[in-house]
Every structure is written in C-alpha cells, then in structure tokens.
Amino acid sequence: MTDTNRRVIFAKRPEGWVTPDCFRVEDAPIPDLADGDVLTRNIVMSVDPYMRGRMSDRKSYAAGFELGETMNAGAVGEVIASKNKNVPVGTVVNGMLGWETHTLVKGGAGLMPVDARAAPLSYYLGILGMPGFTGYYGLLNIGEPKPGETVYVSAASGAVGQVVGQIARIKGCRVVGSAGDDEKCAWAMESCGYDVCFNYKKVDSYAKALREHCPDGIDVYFENVGGEMLDAVLANINPYARIALCGMISQYNLVKPEGISNIQSLLINRAMIRGFIISEHFDGLPGFIADMTGWMKEGKLKYRETVAEGIDSAPAAFIGMLKGENFGKQIIRVGADPA
Amino acid sequence: MTDTNRRVIFAKRPEGWVTPDCFRVEDAPIPDLADGDVLTRNIVMSVDPYMRGRMSDRKSYAAGFELGETMNAGAVGEVIASKNKNVPVGTVVNGMLGWETHTLVKGGAGLMPVDARAAPLSYYLGILGMPGFTGYYGLLNIGEPKPGETVYVSAASGAVGQVVGQIARIKGCRVVGSAGDDEKCAWAMESCGYDVCFNYKKVDSYAKALREHCPDGIDVYFENVGGEMLDAVLANINPYARIALCGMISQYNLVKPEGISNIQSLLINRAMIRGFIISEHFDGLPGFIADMTGWMKEGKLKYRETVAEGIDSAPAAFIGMLKGENFGKQIIRVGADPA
C-alpha cells in the first residue's frame, strides 16, 4: 500500500470561466486514522455542473469549496483501512470523496455501500446515481409528463438529459432535445429516446428552432441551461406548461446573468417553474432504483460516459464538461476496480 | 324607458400607454331583442388591469377587443327587457357587459343573478367578485401561506392586494406591501392588514427596501407588478418560496418587457412561480363566498373603492387605474341602484 496521496487543491477562485490555474495538483502523505475513520482508495469520480457554484463565494445551495483545500465530488472507492466497524476493509462505497487518490473519511460519514456486481461502478455516479435521479425526479415529479405531450430538454446528451429523454419516451411523450454538436444530437436520437435533437450552435434563433421542432408547443421543459434558451422556451410553451429548473449551466460562468424577457408567458399560459435540488428528495430513491433497474432489464435504457484517466486529468475534464466537451456523463477513472 | 344607448367604442390600438383617443363615446339606438335575448340597464362597471392586454393584438389569455366595437367589462345591471324566460325583467345580474348604459345580451349568455340585498352591488365587482376571488385563490392555493411566514404584495392597496393582505393577516402571516403613494400605504396598514407598506416611488432600490422590510426574507409573493420589482423579490426570497403570478401591470404598457436577471434564485431556493387566471377556477367560488362573507360578518375584512360617475368617465378612469391613480377598487357608476 502506497503512503502517498495525489490530490487536486482548489487554488484560485474563478471569475467567469474556470481556468486550469484554479487548481494545483500535489502529493501529500496519507494521514493517520483516528477511531471511527475510514480510508478509501478512490476508483471512479464524478464532475458535475453544480460544482461551479461551489467555487464562487456567492451564497448557493451547496457548501462552497475552501481555497487551499482538496476539491471534492461524488465518487466510488474501496475501503483499504478502517477504524470503523460499520465500514470494514473491502467495502465498496459511494460518497463525497476528494479529488484525490485516497480519502480519509472522518467517522466514515456519508458513505453508502454499493453493489459492485450489479452494475459498473461508474453507473452509481450517473444513471443510477445523482444525475439519473435528478432527471427522473425532475421529469416525473415536476414535469408530470402525459402521453402525447411535448417534452423539451436543453442538454439532451448530458448525464441528466440522456435519462430525461429516455424516461419521457417511456412515458409516451414526443421528446425534443438540443445539444452542442451534431454527433451528440445524432446519438441522442439514436440512443436516448429523442424524436428530434438539434444543434443549438447551428441555429440563428433558439425561439425559431423551437417553433420548428415543437410545432405543437412545449408542455414540459427540463431546464439545464438558462439564459437565452429559457427565454426562447417561454416564447413557445403551451398552456399549463411545467418547467423543472434543475440547472443553468449557461449562466454559471457569467459575471452578470443574462436577462429573461418572456416571464409574462408564465401568466398568459398559467405555467409553472419550480427549482429543485435532488439531495432534498432522497426519500424517492427506492422508487427510482426500482424503476430504473426494471427499465434497464427490459432494455429500455441506454447510457453513455466519457472517461478521463487519472486524477491529474480532473481539472481539464471538469473545465471541458463546463464547456460541453464531454459526451454523456463525465467520469474520472482514478484507480482500478476491486479485484 | 329610453331608446338611446350611450357607449364607449374601442377606436385605436394603444402603443405603450393607453391614451384618451383610443376611445370614442357615442349615442346609438337600442337594438331590438330576438328570442332568448336580454336587455340590461347597467348600474356599476369594473375596469381592471387585464383589459390592457385585450387592447393589444398580441396573443393573450382573454379574447382581444375588436376595433370599432363597444368595450366590455365585468358589470352589474338590471334586466329591463327580456325575451328569455330564465332571466326575467327585474333580475339583477353580474356578467360581461358593455362600456355602455344598456347592453343587449345575446341569448342571455353568461349572466349570473346577484343578491342585491346582501351587499352593495359594486362589491360583486370587487371584494366578492373577480378581484377578491383572484386574491383569495392565488394567495391560498398557490402561495399556501403558513403562520409566521412573510407575505409580500406588490400592489397592496389595489382591488386584489387589499384582499390578499387581509387574508394573509387572518392566516397569521407577517404582511408586507408596497404602493405608489403615502396615503395608500397608510391606509393599507390601517385597514388592510399590512404590518408594513412602503412607497415604492420613494425608495432608491426595491431590493434594498425589501431587505429592510422583510428581514426574515420573503416566503410568499403575490405578483401584480412584474419587471424590476419581481427581480428584487427574487433576490430576497427564502428557500421554498412560492410566487403567485397574477399580473404584471408594470409591463403591460411597455413595448419591450424589462428583463429579469435573478431567475437563478428559483433554483438556489427551490422556489416556484405559477401563473394563474381566475376564470379557470370558478369551481372554487362557493368556498370563496362562504369564507369571505364569514370574515365580513366577523368584522375581519374592510374594503375601499374609487367611484367614477357616468359612462363618459370610463376611459379616464381606466387610464388612471393603469397609472395607479385609483385608491382601492376602481368602479364606474353607470346608473342608479334598482328602486
């Protein structure tokens, strides 16, 4: 067993886009365990859009990252040392671990064992994890899609969007998406249940593109993007439309957010926007796991990842994900699967 | 019985603010009744903000007014001629009648009898009518106020706002309002249940005023105004805030709507905005009437009107209402109460 931990430190707050110098990679000794502590060898790690908010010192729903500390993220690891009888050596766990090869988890707090044989470990960070549950909850509990309705998803091929599209299709909806390149769009239509997916970088006007691709209007919008796209959607919603507000990735790197001009459409159409944070709905997890594994067994769900190799690749993978360079869920492979 | 009808014709579509030349007052003969028709002598008439939308040719929730036709509005009248056995002469009715002294109602459609002894007839256009029901429904069914929460109402002394404030107070909330002059603010605090009402024309910044007057944040916002005020509210909402979107009077006369910059606050606070149109919720009317008359009997509700005299005063009263010159519900007295 190594006694060195390679880790990514939060070195500088970004203004606007995140840049590589916001991070510093370094080696450090692995600290000693106190009673109750657990040490993980990290295997796969997630980078997600909400982390951008944690890098600002603005108030947000997730606690901010502290400068000089190790970044952290949802990850799956294997327990390789333990002074906690509830989490013995050899357990494979899912939890908030560091951007690092090894994490000392104080008191073993927040670790959930995962079944390493039921699915690839990275699935617990994606389709069976937080992003999958986000798509499932937001679509079904806020969007409440009905058969024949039009569902629009603004980041169709992302970790969340690919789940939303497939569930919307299962629910009998017409599913329209957008993504930032042609290959992503083609894949969303081939594999993620989208009837149409258009490349938003190639259209003159979002509003015009939505009018064309949603000729019957939009009944449900799963919002990941914000800004100009939300405004265009508001111009195209149907009466009683529901908008599940999950994220606004287009706005996270702007110093001043874009304005929304079409709020009156909510009134005219008696429509609703609701923001949600998936961590507040964990009571719905059992239903989610049951539905998703059922649909997977029936062959109704597909899933795609982009994997970056090694902890040193985390900053670039995170920055690329914020720019939309990943294709499917962005994962960092930190270490090998358990033998 | 006169054979002349004095009426207000929609003469010109406004661009921006409504001006007197959008209307033309004229005399016309009273037409003959066909089988099923009813003729009313109009007594009191309402002018309401949503009518501004009906003067545009933009799509909205209420059918547009046609140029060259008589304006119409909610009004109470007395049936003075009838070829409809369901609506006999002498019935006092509430319905969409013309901006005119007499209205021929084809087939007697949409007329509701009112109890002329239970309350002043104008109350059926206000606290016991559409504006009162709007405040009641939006506050209770969308705002869902809980005791101790802070409710903010942006047009505190208006036809709707005075009802919202009083019901919020009955429900045990801290009630904060704003209005456009000091006298209205004083009256809202004295008579409409508001703990605080500030003059929005005298503050440097809406956001700063809201921070000061809602030190515990805003849990429920009853939105009548839109634009900059909505943005300021979004900057001051609490987690799980509910915004009932009833109107956006600040925007109706703008050629291009103001932008909203703080939509992200909905996500951060897991908050909700829902637009509603009261005419879709008439199934709730019996509960509304029962609650309101109960509270009135207990002395818990007060009500204030501004009355303009004569049908010729309707255009000026409507324009004044859009500018906030009315104090309480704006009513036009068209004719005398029934003997």
Side-chain angles (χ1 to χ4, degrees), chain B residues 11 23 58 83 91 104 122 223 229 273 278 282 295 310 317 331:
Chain B
F23 307 98
R58 281 179 291 195
K83 292 197 172 180
T91 315
L104 182 101
S122 60
E223 167 66 298
M229 184 61 87
I273 300 186
I278 198 58
F282 280 168
W295 289 326
I331 292 290

Side-chain angles (χ1 to χ4, degrees), chain B residues 34-78:
Chain B
D35 265 1
D37 292 353
V38 162
L39 181 70
T40 60
R41 173 185 73 79
N42 299 333
I43 301 170
V44 282
M45 186 178 92
S46 178
V47 286
D48 297 285
Y50 78 92
M51 293 177 182
R52 173 63 184 82
R54 298 184 64 191
M55 298 179 78
S56 301
D57 50 9
R58 281 179 291 195
K59 178 190 156 198
S60 185
Y61 53 87
F65 292 123
E66 296 289 337
L67 284 172
E69 307 247 302
T70 307
M71 297 284 296
N72 68 56
V76 174
E78 179 185 11

Side-chain angles (χ1 to χ4, degrees), chain A residues 49 61 154 221 223-227 230 243 245-254 257-258 260 273, chain B residues 261-268:
Chain A
Y61 52 87
S154 52
Y221 175 42
E223 167 66 299
N224 289 306
V225 167
L230 175 57
I243 299 178
L245 181 53
C246 164
M248 294 195 148
I249 197 169
S250 75
Q251 305 297 295
Y252 296 166
N253 292 291
L254 302 179
E258 287 175 5
I260 301 293
I273 300 188
Chain B
S261 297
N262 294 325
I263 286 282
Q264 276 201 62
S265 179
L266 293 177
L267 174 59
I268 293 168

